[in-house]
């Protein structure tokens, strides 16, 4: 069975809390049983998860990054598909907030977007199957637990899925530097999907054509664009601000 490596105290803590059935074995640095690791070892014991004390060299090789003395060998995370989107559109009576990522291929950016989405109360993050970052250990590490809590839906045809959202009453707001209105001039309080494009290229033409409106973030300096995860945070928390002001 394929495996995925999750490492670092925060990432492993979130994994044990949100998705413990994925963990096959915990590898812990030999001799390290301090106050930060002991609760994880106790939780793993309660869950019946195997724990192996391991040399630092092996942990370094497994993680390829800063592991803080703990590495989890896991079953791979699985993205949701269109069926979950259908369920979400059919079953939720409250205003929906969805995040659509069109062409975000960097797992660090995906992880950061998932983390921000979770903090902003987003019910799901949606992306096309092609030319999008997959769920992996890097995403999980950067997301700090959000990859296990926010559904990540990969769809075969993004334009068709956007039409499905619109039919369910979702207002789709895309982001583009050449938009006429700024983020702060439009109403973002109802059920909506926020569409963020890839860095540099932005949204694809067909994605743009399926948006109900386009907005831009006003840029006052010399740099013309923001990192997609930063721009996502700016946009989502303007949505949060407007909804809390009701």
């Amino acid at each position: 069975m394929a495996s995925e490596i999750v490492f670092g105290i925060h990432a492993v803590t979130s994994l044990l809390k949100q998705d413990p059935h994925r963990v096959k074995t915990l590898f812990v640095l030999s001799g390290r049983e301090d106050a930060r690791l002991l609760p994880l070892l106790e939780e793993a014991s309660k869950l019946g998860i195997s724990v192996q004390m391991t040399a630092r060299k092996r942990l370094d090789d497994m993680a390829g990054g800063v592991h803080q003395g703990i590495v989890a060998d896991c079953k791979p995370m699985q993205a949701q598909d269109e069926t979950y989107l259908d369920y979400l559109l059919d079953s939720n009576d409250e205003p929906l907030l969805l995040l659509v990522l069109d062409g975000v291929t960097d797992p660090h950016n995906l992880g950061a977007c998932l983390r921000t989405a979770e903090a902003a109360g987003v019910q799901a993050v949606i992306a096309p199957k092609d030319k999008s970052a997959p769920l992996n250990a890097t995403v999980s590490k950067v997301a700090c637990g959000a990859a296990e809590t926010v559904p990540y839906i990969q769809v075969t045809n993004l334009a068709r899925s956007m039409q499905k959202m619109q039919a369910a009453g979702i207002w789709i707001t895309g982001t583009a530097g050449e938009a006429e209105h700024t983020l702060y001039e439009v109403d973002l309080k109802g059920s909506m999907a926020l569409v963020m494009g890839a860095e540099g290229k932005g949204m694809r033409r067909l994605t743009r054509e399926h948006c109900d409106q386009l907005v831009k973030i006003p840029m006052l300096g010399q740099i013309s664009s923001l990192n997609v995860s930063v721009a996502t945070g700016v946009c989502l928390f303007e949505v949060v601000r407007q909804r809390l002001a009701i």
Side-chain angles (χ1 to χ4, degrees):
M1 180 182 293
S3 288
E4 183 176 284
I5 298 300
V6 174
F7 53 91
I9 290 174
H10 194 103
V12 173
T13 298
S14 296
L15 184 63
L16 291 178
K17 181 179 179 181
Q18 305 292 345
D19 218 2
H21 72 279
R22 288 181 49 220
V23 183
K24 296 189 284 186
T25 306
L26 275 186
F27 295 90
V28 179
L29 181 63
S30 294
R32 178 168 180 182
E33 295 182 0
D34 56 49
R36 296 187 71 192
L37 279 185
L38 277 176
L40 294 181
L41 301 182
E42 292 172 359
E43 184 64 19
S45 177
K46 291 178 185 177
L47 294 167
I49 295 171
S50 171
V51 176
Q52 293 188 22
M53 307 310 290
T54 309
R56 181 179 295 278
K57 175 66 167 60
R58 186 179 181 193
L59 293 181
D60 291 344
D61 291 342
M62 291 174 70
V66 181
H67 50 70
Q68 299 176 299
I70 189 162
V71 174
D73 179 25
C74 306
K75 302 172 186 174
M77 283 187 292
Q78 298 294 320
Q80 302 285 351
D81 60 18
E82 284 97 339
T83 304
Y84 189 87
L85 178 59
D86 293 340
Y87 162 77
L88 200 60
L89 296 176
D90 290 340
S91 64
N92 202 308
D93 296 326
E94 298 180 0
L96 281 173
L97 176 55
L98 306 174
L99 173 63
V100 177
L101 302 177
D102 186 27
V104 175
T105 58
D106 186 336
H108 292 88
N109 280 335
L110 174 57
C113 287
L114 285 169
R115 182 174 183 177
T116 301
E118 197 280 335
V122 169
Q123 284 95 338
V125 175
I126 301 156
K129 287 182 180 178
D130 295 332
K131 298 180 181 178
S132 290
L135 289 175
N136 59 26
T138 300
V139 173
S140 180
K141 174 76 172 175
V142 175
C144 294
E148 286 75 34
T149 58
V150 179
Y152 181 55
I153 303 171
Q154 289 190 301
V155 299
T156 304
N157 187 315
L158 183 57
R160 185 174 62 211
S161 294
M162 291 171 72
Q163 289 176 323
K164 190 179 294 184
M165 291 181 223
Q166 288 167 323
I170 306 295
W171 186 256
I172 299 181
T173 299
T175 51
E178 70 279 8
E180 185 176 336
H181 296 289
T182 73
L183 173 69
Y184 308 110
E185 296 174 315
V186 297
D187 186 347
L188 302 171
K189 295 188 286 291
S191 286
M192 65 165 288
L194 174 69
V195 186
M196 307 298 299
E199 289 184 55
K201 297 179 180 178
M203 292 182 291
R204 292 174 295 174
R205 178 187 59 80
L206 198 57
T207 304
R208 180 190 303 257
E209 290 175 358
H210 281 82
C211 291
D212 294 302
Q213 66 180 354
L214 297 177
V215 298
K216 64 183 177 183
I217 298 172
M219 304 292 291
L220 305 182
Q222 298 298 314
I223 296 173
S224 61
S225 64
L226 297 172
N227 172 279
V228 65
S229 64
V230 174
T232 297
V234 171
C235 294
L236 285 179
F237 277 92
E238 171 59 15
V239 177
V240 171
R241 186 196 69 79
Q242 289 193 21
R243 294 184 175 199
L244 290 179
I246 297 176

